[in-house]
Amino acid sequence: MTKVKTIGLIILAIIAAGLVLPQKFSMPVEGTTNSSYNSKSFWYYPWGKSVTHKGIDIFAKEGTNVVSSTSGLVVYCGQLNLGGNVVLVLGPKWRFHYYAHMETIRTSIFSWAKRGEVIGTVGSSGNAAGKPPHLHYAIMTGIPYF
């Protein structure tokens, strides 16, 4: 078998593994439950805009631990204009878990985050400055759900 075919098979195996890994979730803010966020926060309310928010806001005391909701590879951590201090974790099913507005980041790029491991703390960075501390959490995918 040629080197190119071997590399291709390895890549296919990695992609397939990502699709079949079990996906277990935890709430991303310590001490919260599924009822700790307002299901209507999928919209920009109360921030004054009428477009889709694409995530949920989990309000908590500033400095509360943010934990990885699923195991995965940290593919980005740093600052973005809107999100402030953010962490992006690539988890099972090739889904990206986005954590934004954190006060602190307690992980590093290309590290492995275990489900329930502290990756930062709740804050109000980015465009959440001056608003109540919260974690903006979203799950995104580049591959269609199935």
Side-chain angles (χ1 to χ4, degrees), residues 35-103:
S35 61
S36 296
Y37 67 92
N38 181 345
S39 61
K40 294 179 183 177
S41 73
F42 187 75
W43 301 98
Y44 270 112
Y45 176 84
W47 312 131
K49 295 184 180 180
S50 61
V51 295
T52 304
H53 184 220
K54 296 186 180 173
I56 59 170
D57 290 332
I58 304 170
F59 293 87
K61 184 178 176 184
E62 188 165 334
T64 302
N65 285 335
V66 172
V67 298
S68 185
S69 63
T70 189
S71 294
L73 180 67
V74 177
V75 294
Y76 180 80
C77 55
Q79 287 199 338
L80 298 175
N81 286 339
L82 296 178
N85 293 324
V86 304
V87 171
L88 187 64
V89 175
L90 176 60
K93 312 290 185 210
W94 295 99
R95 293 181 180 144
F96 293 94
H97 298 258
Y98 177 72
Y99 307 83
H101 306 311
M102 295 194 291
E103 177 184 33

Side-chain angles (χ1 to χ4, degrees), residues 27-33 36 58-68 99-106 117-124 133-136:
M27 283 298 291
V29 177
E30 278 188 353
T32 60
T33 66
S36 296
I58 304 170
F59 293 87
K61 184 178 176 184
E62 188 165 334
T64 302
N65 285 335
V66 172
V67 298
S68 185
Y99 307 83
H101 306 311
M102 295 194 291
E103 177 184 33
T104 61
I105 295 173
R106 295 189 181 160
E117 179 181 326
V118 176
I119 58 172
T121 59
V122 171
S124 55
H134 66 281
L135 174 73
H136 173 84

